Amino acid sequence: MHTVNGAAINISGLVKHFRTGTAPLKAVDNVTLEIAAGSMVALTGPSGSGKSTLLHLIGAIEQADAGTIRIDDLKITTLRRAALAAYRRQVGFVFQRFHLLPALTVLDNVIAPVLPYRTRNDHSTRARELLAEVGLTGRERALPAQLSGGQQQRVAIARALMAKPRLLLADEPTGNLDSTTGNQILDLLLRLRDEHQMTIILATHDQRIAARSDRLIRLTDGRIADDLDLTDGEDPTDTLSRATRLRL
Ligand code: ADP
Ligand code: MG
């Protein structure tokens, strides 16, 4: 991934089944999709519509049964194990439940995922800078349990940025937060998208959060039911007019 503007994503005929009981279930059912470099795309749709599975396929946490995914020039659906692991390390992930390690300080949580690759001191300067960027200067030595939910998600976001991702995948990042805090997290993601030149794909069932993205893709039963460009001729900060237009 080496564009200056985040990763461009090209998905074609993507299928993922799960075998549960008798009939196989198509969690992702023939999805074809192009995502522009540097955009912020929201995946919405009811629970079980395939949002998380699609993110997992794009992040190479799960393997597709059919179809291709290209991230810039890299076709990740046919990569071998070592190349796949290298790709995965370059993708930032943010989850609903933060997934911080409770016994580690904020600073060590940010450093933890890159620790096997160098020594701790090499990373601590960058980790402190990222914590400052997400507004957590002074909380480096705190434990996760001493932070609010919004602060914990900020730690998780700083951690995701350690690998300098060109692509950030966020699965219901505001799902455990009240709406004010959720909107602040979204402000932060939009700012970081520009500062770090990332493409962001965010799964959310919160329509108001989704409406703040550049593009809203609604999934139903693993298929794209709706695909709306929200950028045309509109002030991106005017969430009220977007919400009205989307009838939220
Ligand atoms: P969403 O994130 O939109 O709620 P998911 O991608 O989690 O949807 O799930 C899509 C469908 O795939 C659901 O029917 C879900 O039950 C099923 N599914 C997801 N992961 C697994 C799994 N590991 N094993 C079996 N079924 C799964
Ligand atoms: Mg999900």
Side-chain angles (χ1 to χ4, degrees), residues 201-218:
I201 310 177
L202 169 136
T204 180
H205 59 245
D206 183 334
Q207 293 295 303
R208 285 181 178 271
I209 291 289
R212 298 191 58 200
S213 302
D214 299 328
R215 181 174 170 192
L216 191 157
I217 295 171
R218 204 186 312 274

Side-chain angles (χ1 to χ4, degrees), residues 18-36:
F18 287 111
R19 251 163 236 294
T20 48
T22 49
L25 171 110
K26 274 192 178 175
V28 172
D29 186 2
N30 196 19
V31 165
T32 295
L33 179 61
E34 266 186 62
I35 294 175

Side-chain angles (χ1 to χ4, degrees), residues 2-245:
H2 40 253
T3 58
V4 291
N5 222 355
I9 299 160
N10 190 311
I11 296 173
S12 179
L14 195 67
V15 176
K16 177 67 182 176
H17 305 99
F18 287 111
R19 251 163 236 294
T20 48
T22 49
L25 171 110
K26 274 192 178 175
V28 172
D29 186 2
N30 196 19
V31 165
T32 295
L33 179 61
E34 266 186 62
I35 294 175
S39 57
M40 163 91 127
V41 176
L43 298 176
T44 66
S47 178
S49 58
K51 304 182 293 295
S52 295
T53 304
L54 185 52
L55 285 185
H56 295 167
L57 292 169
I58 295 169
I61 291 178
E62 308 235 36
Q63 217 187 343
D65 294 312
T68 56
I69 303 174
R70 279 196 181 75
I71 311 291
D72 293 329
D73 298 329
L74 193 68
K75 190 167 160 189
I76 63 162
T77 29
T78 51
L79 284 183
R80 289 177 184 279
R81 217 183 165 116
L84 205 58
Y87 163 73
R88 229 182 262 128
R89 281 199 296 273
Q90 294 171 48
V91 178
F93 277 100
V94 176
F95 303 96
Q96 178 172 358
R97 290 179 201 284
F98 323 132
H99 294 319
L100 301 178
L101 297 167
L104 296 189
T105 65
V106 161
L107 183 67
D108 284 345
N109 263 285
V110 175
I111 295 172
V114 293
L115 256 193
Y117 307 105
R118 290 224 190 118
T119 64
R120 186 176 177 287
N121 277 347
D122 291 334
H123 295 299
S124 92
T125 306
R126 177 168 170 77
R128 285 173 194 281
E129 283 166 7
L130 289 171
L131 284 168
E133 267 196 79
V134 301
L136 288 176
T137 297
R139 306 312 310 270
E140 295 86 352
R141 312 207 73 80
L143 292 171
Q146 298 170 309
L147 302 182
S148 68
Q151 288 174 322
Q152 290 186 52
Q153 191 60 297
R154 287 167 189 271
V155 177
I157 291 167
R159 176 182 61 187
L161 295 180
M162 274 303 273
K164 302 186 178 167
R166 309 233 66 84
L167 171 61
L168 185 76
L169 304 174
D171 198 351
E172 307 275 2
T174 64
N176 272 5
L177 305 173
D178 64 73
S179 66
T180 305
T181 309
N183 268 309
Q184 288 167 351
I185 291 296
L186 212 75
D187 291 339
L188 177 65
L189 289 174
L190 285 164
R191 176 162 66 76
L192 294 171
R193 184 266 306 258
D194 295 336
E195 285 172 7
H196 292 262
Q197 307 205 306
M198 297 183 289
T199 301
I200 299 185
I201 310 177
L202 169 136
T204 180
H205 59 245
D206 183 334
Q207 293 295 303
R208 285 181 178 271
I209 291 289
R212 298 191 58 200
S213 302
D214 299 328
R215 181 174 170 192
L216 191 157
I217 295 171
R218 204 186 312 274
L219 297 176
T220 311
D221 298 330
R223 294 186 200 169
I224 296 176
D226 253 318
D227 188 344
L228 294 170
D229 181 356
L230 305 180
T231 57
D232 38 24
E234 203 178 90
D235 177 357
T237 59
D238 187 356
T239 49
L240 196 64
S241 94
R242 284 186 182 202
T244 310
R245 187 151 66 86

